[in-house]
Short mmCIF file of all heavy atoms in Angstrom, two decimals:
data_model
loop_
_atom_site.label_atom_id
_atom_site.label_comp_id
_atom_site.label_asym_id
_atom_site.label_seq_id
_atom_site.Cartn_x
_atom_site.Cartn_y
_atom_site.Cartn_z
N ASP A 1337 -5.37 -3.25 8.70
CA ASP A 1337 -6.21 -4.02 9.58
C ASP A 1337 -6.70 -3.10 10.69
O ASP A 1337 -5.93 -2.37 11.30
CB ASP A 1337 -5.40 -5.18 10.16
CG ASP A 1337 -6.24 -6.21 10.86
OD1 ASP A 1337 -7.35 -5.85 11.31
OD2 ASP A 1337 -5.80 -7.34 10.96
N SER A 1338 -7.96 -3.15 10.97
CA SER A 1338 -8.53 -2.26 11.97
C SER A 1338 -8.05 -2.58 13.38
O SER A 1338 -8.21 -1.77 14.28
CB SER A 1338 -10.06 -2.31 11.93
OG SER A 1338 -10.50 -3.63 12.16
N ALA A 1339 -7.41 -3.72 13.58
CA ALA A 1339 -6.87 -4.07 14.89
C ALA A 1339 -5.71 -3.15 15.27
O ALA A 1339 -5.34 -3.06 16.44
CB ALA A 1339 -6.42 -5.52 14.92
N TYR A 1340 -5.14 -2.47 14.31
CA TYR A 1340 -3.97 -1.64 14.55
C TYR A 1340 -4.32 -0.15 14.65
O TYR A 1340 -3.44 0.70 14.48
CB TYR A 1340 -2.93 -1.85 13.45
CG TYR A 1340 -2.40 -3.25 13.42
CD1 TYR A 1340 -2.82 -4.15 12.46
CD2 TYR A 1340 -1.49 -3.67 14.36
CE1 TYR A 1340 -2.33 -5.44 12.43
CE2 TYR A 1340 -0.98 -4.96 14.35
CZ TYR A 1340 -1.42 -5.85 13.38
OH TYR A 1340 -0.94 -7.12 13.36
N THR A 1341 -5.55 0.19 14.91
CA THR A 1341 -5.93 1.59 14.96
C THR A 1341 -5.18 2.35 16.06
O THR A 1341 -5.05 3.57 15.99
CB THR A 1341 -7.44 1.77 15.17
OG1 THR A 1341 -7.82 1.04 16.36
CG2 THR A 1341 -8.21 1.26 13.98
N GLY A 1342 -4.66 1.66 17.05
CA GLY A 1342 -3.92 2.31 18.14
C GLY A 1342 -2.50 2.63 17.80
O GLY A 1342 -1.77 3.14 18.64
N GLN A 1343 -2.05 2.32 16.55
CA GLN A 1343 -0.68 2.58 16.14
C GLN A 1343 -0.65 3.40 14.85
O GLN A 1343 -0.11 2.96 13.84
CB GLN A 1343 0.07 1.27 15.95
CG GLN A 1343 0.13 0.42 17.19
CD GLN A 1343 0.85 -0.90 16.93
OE1 GLN A 1343 1.18 -1.23 15.81
NE2 GLN A 1343 1.07 -1.64 17.98
N PRO A 1344 -1.18 4.61 14.86
CA PRO A 1344 -1.28 5.39 13.62
C PRO A 1344 0.08 5.78 13.04
O PRO A 1344 0.18 6.09 11.85
CB PRO A 1344 -2.08 6.63 14.02
CG PRO A 1344 -1.87 6.74 15.50
CD PRO A 1344 -1.73 5.32 16.01
N ASP A 1345 1.13 5.76 13.86
CA ASP A 1345 2.46 6.09 13.34
C ASP A 1345 3.06 4.94 12.55
O ASP A 1345 4.04 5.13 11.82
CB ASP A 1345 3.39 6.49 14.49
CG ASP A 1345 3.53 5.39 15.55
OD1 ASP A 1345 2.51 4.71 15.83
OD2 ASP A 1345 4.62 5.22 16.10
N LYS A 1346 2.49 3.74 12.67
CA LYS A 1346 3.02 2.56 11.98
C LYS A 1346 2.08 1.99 10.92
O LYS A 1346 2.52 1.35 9.98
CB LYS A 1346 3.33 1.47 13.00
CG LYS A 1346 4.40 1.85 13.99
CD LYS A 1346 4.67 0.75 14.95
CE LYS A 1346 5.74 1.20 15.95
NZ LYS A 1346 6.02 0.18 16.94
N VAL A 1347 0.77 2.17 11.10
CA VAL A 1347 -0.20 1.53 10.23
C VAL A 1347 -1.28 2.54 9.81
O VAL A 1347 -1.77 3.31 10.64
CB VAL A 1347 -0.89 0.35 10.97
CG1 VAL A 1347 -1.91 -0.32 10.09
CG2 VAL A 1347 0.14 -0.66 11.42
N THR A 1348 -1.65 2.52 8.54
CA THR A 1348 -2.77 3.32 8.07
C THR A 1348 -3.97 2.40 7.93
O THR A 1348 -3.91 1.41 7.22
CB THR A 1348 -2.45 3.96 6.70
OG1 THR A 1348 -1.28 4.75 6.84
CG2 THR A 1348 -3.60 4.80 6.23
N THR A 1349 -5.03 2.70 8.64
CA THR A 1349 -6.23 1.87 8.59
C THR A 1349 -7.32 2.59 7.79
O THR A 1349 -7.26 3.79 7.59
CB THR A 1349 -6.75 1.57 10.01
OG1 THR A 1349 -7.02 2.81 10.68
CG2 THR A 1349 -5.73 0.77 10.81
N THR A 1350 -8.30 1.83 7.36
CA THR A 1350 -9.41 2.38 6.61
C THR A 1350 -10.30 3.20 7.55
O THR A 1350 -10.71 2.71 8.60
CB THR A 1350 -10.25 1.28 5.95
OG1 THR A 1350 -9.36 0.47 5.18
CG2 THR A 1350 -11.34 1.84 5.07
N LEU A 1351 -10.59 4.42 7.15
CA LEU A 1351 -11.43 5.32 7.94
C LEU A 1351 -12.67 5.69 7.14
O LEU A 1351 -12.65 5.68 5.90
CB LEU A 1351 -10.66 6.59 8.30
CG LEU A 1351 -9.35 6.41 9.07
CD1 LEU A 1351 -8.64 7.75 9.20
CD2 LEU A 1351 -9.61 5.80 10.43
N ASP A 1352 -13.74 6.05 7.82
CA ASP A 1352 -14.95 6.50 7.15
C ASP A 1352 -14.69 7.73 6.29
O ASP A 1352 -15.33 7.93 5.26
CB ASP A 1352 -16.04 6.81 8.17
CG ASP A 1352 -16.58 5.54 8.84
OD1 ASP A 1352 -16.47 4.46 8.24
OD2 ASP A 1352 -17.09 5.67 9.97
N ALA A 1353 -13.72 8.54 6.69
CA ALA A 1353 -13.42 9.78 5.95
C ALA A 1353 -12.68 9.53 4.64
O ALA A 1353 -12.62 10.42 3.80
CB ALA A 1353 -12.57 10.69 6.85
N HIS A 1354 -12.14 8.33 4.44
CA HIS A 1354 -11.44 8.04 3.19
C HIS A 1354 -12.40 7.98 2.01
O HIS A 1354 -13.56 7.61 2.15
CB HIS A 1354 -10.69 6.71 3.29
CG HIS A 1354 -9.46 6.77 4.12
ND1 HIS A 1354 -9.11 5.77 5.00
CD2 HIS A 1354 -8.49 7.71 4.21
CE1 HIS A 1354 -7.99 6.08 5.59
NE2 HIS A 1354 -7.58 7.26 5.13
N SER A 1355 -11.88 8.34 0.85
CA SER A 1355 -12.70 8.26 -0.37
C SER A 1355 -12.94 6.80 -0.74
O SER A 1355 -12.25 5.90 -0.26
CB SER A 1355 -11.98 8.97 -1.52
OG SER A 1355 -10.84 8.23 -1.90
N LYS A 1356 -13.91 6.58 -1.62
CA LYS A 1356 -14.22 5.22 -2.05
C LYS A 1356 -13.01 4.59 -2.74
O LYS A 1356 -12.72 3.40 -2.54
CB LYS A 1356 -15.42 5.23 -2.99
CG LYS A 1356 -15.83 3.85 -3.42
CD LYS A 1356 -17.11 3.84 -4.21
CE LYS A 1356 -17.33 2.41 -4.67
NZ LYS A 1356 -18.68 2.06 -4.86
N LYS A 1357 -12.28 5.37 -3.55
CA LYS A 1357 -11.10 4.85 -4.25
C LYS A 1357 -10.04 4.39 -3.24
O LYS A 1357 -9.42 3.34 -3.44
CB LYS A 1357 -10.50 5.92 -5.17
CG LYS A 1357 -11.31 6.15 -6.43
CD LYS A 1357 -10.72 7.29 -7.24
CE LYS A 1357 -9.59 6.78 -8.08
NZ LYS A 1357 -9.06 7.80 -9.02
N THR A 1358 -9.85 5.15 -2.18
CA THR A 1358 -8.88 4.79 -1.16
C THR A 1358 -9.30 3.52 -0.45
O THR A 1358 -8.49 2.62 -0.20
CB THR A 1358 -8.68 5.92 -0.15
OG1 THR A 1358 -8.25 7.09 -0.86
CG2 THR A 1358 -7.68 5.57 0.93
N LYS A 1359 -10.58 3.40 -0.14
CA LYS A 1359 -11.09 2.20 0.54
C LYS A 1359 -10.92 0.96 -0.34
O LYS A 1359 -10.56 -0.11 0.14
CB LYS A 1359 -12.55 2.38 0.93
CG LYS A 1359 -12.74 3.36 2.06
CD LYS A 1359 -14.21 3.53 2.40
CE LYS A 1359 -14.40 4.57 3.49
NZ LYS A 1359 -15.83 4.77 3.81
N VAL A 1360 -11.17 1.12 -1.64
CA VAL A 1360 -10.98 -0.01 -2.58
C VAL A 1360 -9.50 -0.39 -2.62
O VAL A 1360 -9.14 -1.57 -2.59
CB VAL A 1360 -11.52 0.34 -3.98
CG1 VAL A 1360 -11.10 -0.68 -5.01
CG2 VAL A 1360 -13.02 0.48 -3.94
N LEU A 1361 -8.62 0.60 -2.70
CA LEU A 1361 -7.19 0.34 -2.71
C LEU A 1361 -6.77 -0.39 -1.44
O LEU A 1361 -6.03 -1.38 -1.51
CB LEU A 1361 -6.41 1.65 -2.85
CG LEU A 1361 -4.89 1.53 -2.76
CD1 LEU A 1361 -4.36 0.70 -3.93
CD2 LEU A 1361 -4.26 2.89 -2.74
N PHE A 1362 -7.19 0.08 -0.28
CA PHE A 1362 -6.84 -0.57 0.98
C PHE A 1362 -7.37 -2.01 1.00
O PHE A 1362 -6.71 -2.91 1.51
CB PHE A 1362 -7.39 0.21 2.17
CG PHE A 1362 -6.59 1.43 2.53
CD1 PHE A 1362 -5.49 1.84 1.79
CD2 PHE A 1362 -6.93 2.18 3.64
CE1 PHE A 1362 -4.76 2.96 2.13
CE2 PHE A 1362 -6.20 3.30 4.00
CZ PHE A 1362 -5.13 3.70 3.24
N GLY A 1363 -8.55 -2.24 0.46
CA GLY A 1363 -9.11 -3.58 0.40
C GLY A 1363 -8.24 -4.51 -0.44
O GLY A 1363 -7.99 -5.67 -0.07
N ARG A 1364 -7.75 -3.99 -1.58
CA ARG A 1364 -6.87 -4.78 -2.43
C ARG A 1364 -5.55 -5.10 -1.72
O ARG A 1364 -5.02 -6.21 -1.82
CB ARG A 1364 -6.60 -4.06 -3.74
CG ARG A 1364 -7.83 -3.99 -4.64
CD ARG A 1364 -7.56 -3.24 -5.92
NE ARG A 1364 -6.52 -3.90 -6.69
CZ ARG A 1364 -5.79 -3.29 -7.62
NH1 ARG A 1364 -5.99 -2.03 -7.89
NH2 ARG A 1364 -4.88 -3.95 -8.27
N ILE A 1365 -5.02 -4.11 -1.03
CA ILE A 1365 -3.76 -4.31 -0.31
C ILE A 1365 -3.94 -5.36 0.79
O ILE A 1365 -3.10 -6.25 0.96
CB ILE A 1365 -3.24 -2.98 0.26
CG1 ILE A 1365 -2.83 -2.04 -0.87
CG2 ILE A 1365 -2.10 -3.20 1.23
CD1 ILE A 1365 -2.57 -0.62 -0.46
N LYS A 1366 -5.04 -5.28 1.53
CA LYS A 1366 -5.31 -6.27 2.58
C LYS A 1366 -5.44 -7.67 1.99
O LYS A 1366 -4.93 -8.64 2.55
CB LYS A 1366 -6.59 -5.92 3.33
CG LYS A 1366 -6.46 -4.72 4.24
CD LYS A 1366 -7.81 -4.42 4.90
CE LYS A 1366 -7.80 -3.12 5.64
NZ LYS A 1366 -9.11 -2.82 6.24
N SER A 1367 -6.11 -7.77 0.86
CA SER A 1367 -6.27 -9.06 0.19
C SER A 1367 -4.92 -9.64 -0.24
O SER A 1367 -4.65 -10.83 -0.05
CB SER A 1367 -7.19 -8.91 -1.01
OG SER A 1367 -7.33 -10.14 -1.68
N LEU A 1368 -4.07 -8.79 -0.83
CA LEU A 1368 -2.74 -9.25 -1.23
C LEU A 1368 -1.93 -9.70 -0.03
O LEU A 1368 -1.22 -10.72 -0.09
CB LEU A 1368 -2.00 -8.13 -1.97
CG LEU A 1368 -2.49 -7.81 -3.37
CD1 LEU A 1368 -1.83 -6.53 -3.87
CD2 LEU A 1368 -2.20 -8.95 -4.31
N ASN A 1369 -2.03 -8.97 1.07
CA ASN A 1369 -1.31 -9.34 2.28
C ASN A 1369 -1.78 -10.68 2.81
O ASN A 1369 -0.98 -11.53 3.20
CB ASN A 1369 -1.50 -8.24 3.33
CG ASN A 1369 -0.60 -8.42 4.52
OD1 ASN A 1369 0.16 -9.37 4.60
ND2 ASN A 1369 -0.68 -7.51 5.46
N GLU A 1370 -3.09 -10.91 2.84
CA GLU A 1370 -3.62 -12.18 3.30
C GLU A 1370 -3.21 -13.32 2.38
O GLU A 1370 -2.90 -14.42 2.85
CB GLU A 1370 -5.15 -12.12 3.42
CG GLU A 1370 -5.64 -11.22 4.54
CD GLU A 1370 -5.13 -11.68 5.91
OE1 GLU A 1370 -5.11 -12.91 6.17
OE2 GLU A 1370 -4.72 -10.82 6.70
N THR A 1371 -3.18 -13.08 1.09
CA THR A 1371 -2.73 -14.11 0.13
C THR A 1371 -1.28 -14.47 0.39
O THR A 1371 -0.91 -15.65 0.44
CB THR A 1371 -2.91 -13.61 -1.32
OG1 THR A 1371 -4.29 -13.35 -1.54
CG2 THR A 1371 -2.41 -14.62 -2.32
N ALA A 1372 -0.44 -13.46 0.57
CA ALA A 1372 0.98 -13.72 0.84
C ALA A 1372 1.16 -14.48 2.15
O ALA A 1372 1.92 -15.46 2.21
CB ALA A 1372 1.75 -12.40 0.88
N ASN A 1373 0.46 -14.08 3.18
CA ASN A 1373 0.57 -14.77 4.48
C ASN A 1373 0.10 -16.22 4.35
O ASN A 1373 0.72 -17.13 4.91
CB ASN A 1373 -0.25 -14.05 5.55
CG ASN A 1373 0.35 -12.74 5.98
OD1 ASN A 1373 1.54 -12.50 5.76
ND2 ASN A 1373 -0.46 -11.89 6.55
N GLY A 1374 -0.98 -16.44 3.62
CA GLY A 1374 -1.46 -17.80 3.41
C GLY A 1374 -0.46 -18.67 2.68
O GLY A 1374 -0.26 -19.84 3.02
N ARG A 1375 0.20 -18.11 1.69
CA ARG A 1375 1.19 -18.89 0.95
C ARG A 1375 2.38 -19.24 1.82
O ARG A 1375 2.91 -20.34 1.76
CB ARG A 1375 1.65 -18.12 -0.28
CG ARG A 1375 0.58 -18.07 -1.34
CD ARG A 1375 1.02 -17.33 -2.56
NE ARG A 1375 -0.07 -17.30 -3.53
CZ ARG A 1375 -0.07 -16.56 -4.59
NH1 ARG A 1375 0.94 -15.77 -4.85
NH2 ARG A 1375 -1.09 -16.59 -5.42
N LEU A 1376 2.81 -18.31 2.63
CA LEU A 1376 3.93 -18.60 3.53
C LEU A 1376 3.56 -19.70 4.52
O LEU A 1376 4.36 -20.58 4.83
CB LEU A 1376 4.38 -17.34 4.26
CG LEU A 1376 4.99 -16.25 3.36
CD1 LEU A 1376 5.29 -15.00 4.19
CD2 LEU A 1376 6.24 -16.75 2.67
N LYS A 1377 2.32 -19.69 4.98
CA LYS A 1377 1.85 -20.74 5.89
C LYS A 1377 1.76 -22.07 5.17
O LYS A 1377 2.11 -23.12 5.71
CB LYS A 1377 0.51 -20.37 6.51
CG LYS A 1377 0.62 -19.28 7.54
CD LYS A 1377 -0.73 -18.91 8.11
CE LYS A 1377 -0.63 -17.74 9.06
NZ LYS A 1377 -1.91 -17.34 9.58
N ASN A 1378 1.27 -22.06 3.92
CA ASN A 1378 1.16 -23.30 3.16
C ASN A 1378 2.51 -23.97 2.95
O ASN A 1378 2.62 -25.19 2.92
CB ASN A 1378 0.51 -23.06 1.79
CG ASN A 1378 -0.97 -22.85 1.89
OD1 ASN A 1378 -1.60 -23.23 2.87
ND2 ASN A 1378 -1.54 -22.24 0.87
N PHE A 1379 3.54 -23.17 2.76
CA PHE A 1379 4.88 -23.71 2.57
C PHE A 1379 5.62 -23.89 3.89
O PHE A 1379 6.81 -24.15 3.90
CB PHE A 1379 5.68 -22.83 1.62
CG PHE A 1379 5.26 -22.96 0.19
CD1 PHE A 1379 4.38 -22.06 -0.37
CD2 PHE A 1379 5.70 -24.03 -0.57
CE1 PHE A 1379 3.98 -22.21 -1.68
CE2 PHE A 1379 5.30 -24.17 -1.88
CZ PHE A 1379 4.43 -23.26 -2.44
N LYS A 1380 4.89 -23.73 5.00
CA LYS A 1380 5.43 -23.96 6.35
C LYS A 1380 6.63 -23.08 6.66
O LYS A 1380 7.49 -23.44 7.44
CB LYS A 1380 5.76 -25.42 6.56
CG LYS A 1380 4.56 -26.33 6.43
CD LYS A 1380 4.93 -27.76 6.72
CE LYS A 1380 3.69 -28.64 6.59
NZ LYS A 1380 4.01 -30.02 6.88
N VAL A 1381 6.69 -21.92 6.04
CA VAL A 1381 7.80 -21.00 6.28
C VAL A 1381 7.72 -20.42 7.69
O VAL A 1381 8.74 -20.22 8.35
CB VAL A 1381 7.82 -19.87 5.23
CG1 VAL A 1381 8.84 -18.81 5.58
CG2 VAL A 1381 8.12 -20.46 3.86
N VAL A 1382 6.52 -20.17 8.17
CA VAL A 1382 6.39 -19.55 9.48
C VAL A 1382 6.00 -20.52 10.59
O VAL A 1382 6.06 -20.19 11.75
CB VAL A 1382 5.39 -18.37 9.44
CG1 VAL A 1382 5.92 -17.23 8.62
CG2 VAL A 1382 4.05 -18.82 8.92
N ARG A 1383 5.61 -21.75 10.23
CA ARG A 1383 5.18 -22.71 11.24
C ARG A 1383 6.28 -23.67 11.70
O ARG A 1383 6.28 -24.11 12.83
CB ARG A 1383 4.02 -23.57 10.71
CG ARG A 1383 2.69 -22.87 10.75
CD ARG A 1383 1.61 -23.84 10.44
NE ARG A 1383 1.75 -24.21 9.01
CZ ARG A 1383 0.97 -25.06 8.40
NH1 ARG A 1383 0.02 -25.66 9.03
NH2 ARG A 1383 1.15 -25.33 7.14
N GLU A 1384 7.14 -24.04 10.81
CA GLU A 1384 8.13 -25.06 11.10
C GLU A 1384 9.51 -24.45 11.35
O GLU A 1384 9.81 -23.38 10.85
CB GLU A 1384 8.21 -26.03 9.91
CG GLU A 1384 6.91 -26.70 9.54
CD GLU A 1384 6.48 -27.74 10.57
OE1 GLU A 1384 7.36 -28.35 11.20
OE2 GLU A 1384 5.27 -27.92 10.72
N SER A 1385 10.30 -25.18 12.09
CA SER A 1385 11.70 -24.75 12.28
C SER A 1385 12.48 -25.06 11.01
O SER A 1385 12.27 -26.08 10.37
CB SER A 1385 12.32 -25.51 13.44
OG SER A 1385 11.68 -25.20 14.64
N PHE A 1386 13.36 -24.18 10.66
CA PHE A 1386 14.21 -24.39 9.49
C PHE A 1386 15.45 -25.13 9.97
O PHE A 1386 16.24 -24.62 10.73
CB PHE A 1386 14.59 -23.04 8.86
CG PHE A 1386 15.24 -23.18 7.53
CD1 PHE A 1386 14.47 -23.30 6.39
CD2 PHE A 1386 16.61 -23.20 7.41
CE1 PHE A 1386 15.07 -23.44 5.14
CE2 PHE A 1386 17.23 -23.34 6.17
CZ PHE A 1386 16.44 -23.44 5.03
N ARG A 1387 15.62 -26.36 9.51
CA ARG A 1387 16.69 -27.22 10.03
C ARG A 1387 17.74 -27.55 8.99
O ARG A 1387 18.47 -28.51 9.15
CB ARG A 1387 16.08 -28.50 10.56
CG ARG A 1387 15.05 -28.27 11.64
CD ARG A 1387 14.42 -29.57 12.09
NE ARG A 1387 13.26 -29.34 12.89
CZ ARG A 1387 13.26 -29.18 14.21
NH1 ARG A 1387 14.41 -29.20 14.86
NH2 ARG A 1387 12.15 -28.98 14.87
N HIS A 1388 17.82 -26.79 7.93
CA HIS A 1388 18.76 -27.11 6.87
C HIS A 1388 20.02 -26.27 7.00
O HIS A 1388 19.98 -25.14 7.42
CB HIS A 1388 18.11 -26.88 5.50
CG HIS A 1388 16.88 -27.69 5.32
ND1 HIS A 1388 16.91 -29.04 5.15
CD2 HIS A 1388 15.58 -27.34 5.35
CE1 HIS A 1388 15.67 -29.50 5.03
NE2 HIS A 1388 14.84 -28.49 5.17
N GLY A 1389 21.09 -26.86 6.58
CA GLY A 1389 22.35 -26.14 6.56
C GLY A 1389 23.18 -26.41 7.79
O GLY A 1389 22.69 -26.47 8.90
N LYS A 1390 24.43 -26.63 7.55
CA LYS A 1390 25.39 -26.82 8.63
C LYS A 1390 26.52 -25.83 8.43
O LYS A 1390 26.79 -25.39 7.33
CB LYS A 1390 25.92 -28.25 8.63
CG LYS A 1390 24.85 -29.27 8.95
CD LYS A 1390 25.41 -30.65 9.03
CE LYS A 1390 24.30 -31.61 9.40
NZ LYS A 1390 24.75 -32.97 9.51
N GLY A 1391 27.17 -25.51 9.50
CA GLY A 1391 28.29 -24.59 9.36
C GLY A 1391 28.02 -23.28 10.06
O GLY A 1391 27.32 -23.22 11.06
N ASP A 1392 28.55 -22.24 9.48
CA ASP A 1392 28.47 -20.92 10.11
C ASP A 1392 27.07 -20.33 10.03
O ASP A 1392 26.22 -20.75 9.24
CB ASP A 1392 29.49 -19.97 9.48
CG ASP A 1392 29.21 -19.71 8.01
OD1 ASP A 1392 28.44 -20.46 7.39
OD2 ASP A 1392 29.77 -18.72 7.49
N VAL A 1393 26.83 -19.34 10.84
CA VAL A 1393 25.53 -18.69 10.92
C VAL A 1393 25.18 -18.01 9.60
O VAL A 1393 24.03 -18.07 9.15
CB VAL A 1393 25.50 -17.66 12.08
CG1 VAL A 1393 24.23 -16.85 12.07
CG2 VAL A 1393 25.65 -18.37 13.41
N ASP A 1394 26.15 -17.40 8.95
CA ASP A 1394 25.88 -16.71 7.68
C ASP A 1394 25.39 -17.68 6.62
O ASP A 1394 24.49 -17.36 5.83
CB ASP A 1394 27.14 -15.99 7.18
CG ASP A 1394 27.49 -14.78 8.04
OD1 ASP A 1394 26.57 -14.21 8.65
OD2 ASP A 1394 28.67 -14.42 8.09
N GLY A 1395 25.94 -18.90 6.59
CA GLY A 1395 25.49 -19.90 5.63
C GLY A 1395 24.06 -20.32 5.88
O GLY A 1395 23.26 -20.48 4.96
N LYS A 1396 23.71 -20.50 7.15
CA LYS A 1396 22.33 -20.88 7.51
C LYS A 1396 21.36 -19.75 7.18
O LYS A 1396 20.27 -19.98 6.64
CB LYS A 1396 22.24 -21.22 9.00
CG LYS A 1396 22.91 -22.52 9.34
CD LYS A 1396 22.77 -22.81 10.82
CE LYS A 1396 23.51 -24.07 11.20
NZ LYS A 1396 23.36 -24.37 12.62
N LEU A 1397 21.74 -18.51 7.49
CA LEU A 1397 20.86 -17.38 7.20
C LEU A 1397 20.64 -17.22 5.70
O LEU A 1397 19.53 -16.86 5.27
CB LEU A 1397 21.42 -16.09 7.81
CG LEU A 1397 21.34 -15.99 9.33
CD1 LEU A 1397 22.03 -14.72 9.81
CD2 LEU A 1397 19.92 -16.04 9.80
N ALA A 1398 21.66 -17.49 4.92
CA ALA A 1398 21.52 -17.40 3.46
C ALA A 1398 20.51 -18.42 2.96
O ALA A 1398 19.69 -18.14 2.09
CB ALA A 1398 22.87 -17.61 2.78
N LYS A 1399 20.53 -19.64 3.54
CA LYS A 1399 19.58 -20.67 3.12
C LYS A 1399 18.16 -20.34 3.59
O LYS A 1399 17.19 -20.59 2.87
CB LYS A 1399 20.03 -22.04 3.65
CG LYS A 1399 21.24 -22.54 2.93
CD LYS A 1399 21.64 -23.91 3.40
CE LYS A 1399 22.88 -24.35 2.61
NZ LYS A 1399 23.35 -25.66 3.04
N ILE A 1400 18.03 -19.78 4.78
CA ILE A 1400 16.71 -19.38 5.26
C ILE A 1400 16.15 -18.29 4.36
O ILE A 1400 14.98 -18.32 3.97
CB ILE A 1400 16.79 -18.89 6.73
CG1 ILE A 1400 17.09 -20.06 7.67
CG2 ILE A 1400 15.51 -18.17 7.15
CD1 ILE A 1400 17.43 -19.65 9.07
N LYS A 1401 16.98 -17.33 4.01
CA LYS A 1401 16.56 -16.23 3.13
C LYS A 1401 16.12 -16.78 1.78
O LYS A 1401 15.08 -16.38 1.25
CB LYS A 1401 17.68 -15.23 2.96
CG LYS A 1401 17.33 -14.06 2.07
CD LYS A 1401 18.50 -13.10 1.93
CE LYS A 1401 18.07 -11.96 1.01
NZ LYS A 1401 19.14 -11.40 0.27
N LEU A 1402 16.88 -17.70 1.23
CA LEU A 1402 16.54 -18.30 -0.06
C LEU A 1402 15.20 -19.03 0.01
O LEU A 1402 14.35 -18.87 -0.87
CB LEU A 1402 17.64 -19.27 -0.50
CG LEU A 1402 17.41 -20.02 -1.78
CD1 LEU A 1402 17.41 -19.05 -2.97
CD2 LEU A 1402 18.47 -21.09 -1.97
N ALA A 1403 14.98 -19.81 1.06
CA ALA A 1403 13.71 -20.55 1.21
C ALA A 1403 12.53 -19.59 1.35
O ALA A 1403 11.47 -19.78 0.77
CB ALA A 1403 13.79 -21.49 2.40
N PHE A 1404 12.70 -18.55 2.16
CA PHE A 1404 11.62 -17.58 2.38
C PHE A 1404 11.28 -16.85 1.09
O PHE A 1404 10.11 -16.73 0.72
CB PHE A 1404 12.05 -16.58 3.45
CG PHE A 1404 10.94 -15.66 3.87
CD1 PHE A 1404 10.06 -16.05 4.89
CD2 PHE A 1404 10.75 -14.43 3.27
CE1 PHE A 1404 9.04 -15.21 5.27
CE2 PHE A 1404 9.73 -13.59 3.66
CZ PHE A 1404 8.87 -13.98 4.67
N GLU A 1405 12.30 -16.41 0.36
CA GLU A 1405 12.06 -15.70 -0.90
C GLU A 1405 11.41 -16.62 -1.94
O GLU A 1405 10.54 -16.18 -2.70
CB GLU A 1405 13.37 -15.12 -1.44
CG GLU A 1405 13.85 -13.94 -0.63
CD GLU A 1405 15.23 -13.45 -1.06
OE1 GLU A 1405 15.89 -14.11 -1.88
OE2 GLU A 1405 15.63 -12.37 -0.58
N ALA A 1406 11.82 -17.88 -1.98
CA ALA A 1406 11.22 -18.82 -2.93
C ALA A 1406 9.74 -19.01 -2.65
O ALA A 1406 8.91 -19.00 -3.56
CB ALA A 1406 11.96 -20.17 -2.87
N ALA A 1407 9.38 -19.16 -1.40
CA ALA A 1407 7.96 -19.32 -1.03
C ALA A 1407 7.20 -18.04 -1.32
O ALA A 1407 6.06 -18.08 -1.79
CB ALA A 1407 7.83 -19.69 0.44
N ALA A 1408 7.81 -16.89 -1.09
CA ALA A 1408 7.15 -15.61 -1.33
C ALA A 1408 6.90 -15.41 -2.83
O ALA A 1408 5.87 -14.87 -3.22
CB ALA A 1408 7.98 -14.47 -0.78
N VAL A 1409 7.83 -15.85 -3.67
CA VAL A 1409 7.67 -15.69 -5.11
C VAL A 1409 6.55 -16.58 -5.64
O VAL A 1409 5.76 -16.18 -6.49
CB VAL A 1409 9.00 -16.00 -5.84
CG1 VAL A 1409 8.78 -16.14 -7.33
CG2 VAL A 1409 10.01 -14.90 -5.56
N LEU A 1410 6.48 -17.80 -5.11
CA LEU A 1410 5.42 -18.72 -5.57
C LEU A 1410 4.08 -18.20 -5.18
O LEU A 1410 3.11 -18.30 -5.83
CB LEU A 1410 5.63 -20.09 -4.93
CG LEU A 1410 6.87 -20.81 -5.41
CD1 LEU A 1410 7.05 -22.11 -4.63
CD2 LEU A 1410 6.80 -21.12 -6.90
#
């Protein structure tokens, strides 16, 4: 994403100097990222509080991980 051009140590952004193949690859990666983010939003993984599970913290974290991975796979 070009919004991250100020963080070159963390993010590689598309530059004019990149080859056409690299630009196409970056475009595909951005598209996949947007698709994944959209799916997580559709399943309310990032919008809603996760209120399932009682007991210890490890049990709750395991259920949160399971829910997140299930939405990511779909």
Side-chain angles (χ1 to χ4, degrees):
D1337 192 336
S1338 58
Y1340 297 104
T1341 55
Q1343 299 178 354
D1345 58 323
K1346 297 181 182 178
V1347 180
T1348 302
T1349 58
T1350 306
L1351 303 173
D1352 290 336
H1354 285 139
S1355 69
K1356 182 173 176 152
K1357 286 175 83 173
T1358 301
K1359 289 179 182 178
V1360 169
L1361 175 64
F1362 282 4
R1364 290 179 61 201
I1365 293 168
K1366 288 178 189 178
S1367 178
L1368 288 170
N1369 190 359
E1370 291 300 319
T1371 299
N1373 289 341
R1375 288 180 181 169
L1376 294 175
K1377 287 179 185 178
N1378 284 340
F1379 286 97
K1380 299 183 180 181
V1381 172
V1382 292
R1383 281 189 291 179
E1384 302 289 330
S1385 296
F1386 190 85
R1387 302 177 192 272
H1388 302 288
K1390 294 184 178 181
D1392 64 343
V1393 173
D1394 289 333
K1396 289 181 184 181
L1397 289 176
K1399 289 183 180 179
I1400 291 170
K1401 181 180 179 210
L1402 177 67
F1404 188 88
E1405 288 174 351
V1409 167
L1410 292 175

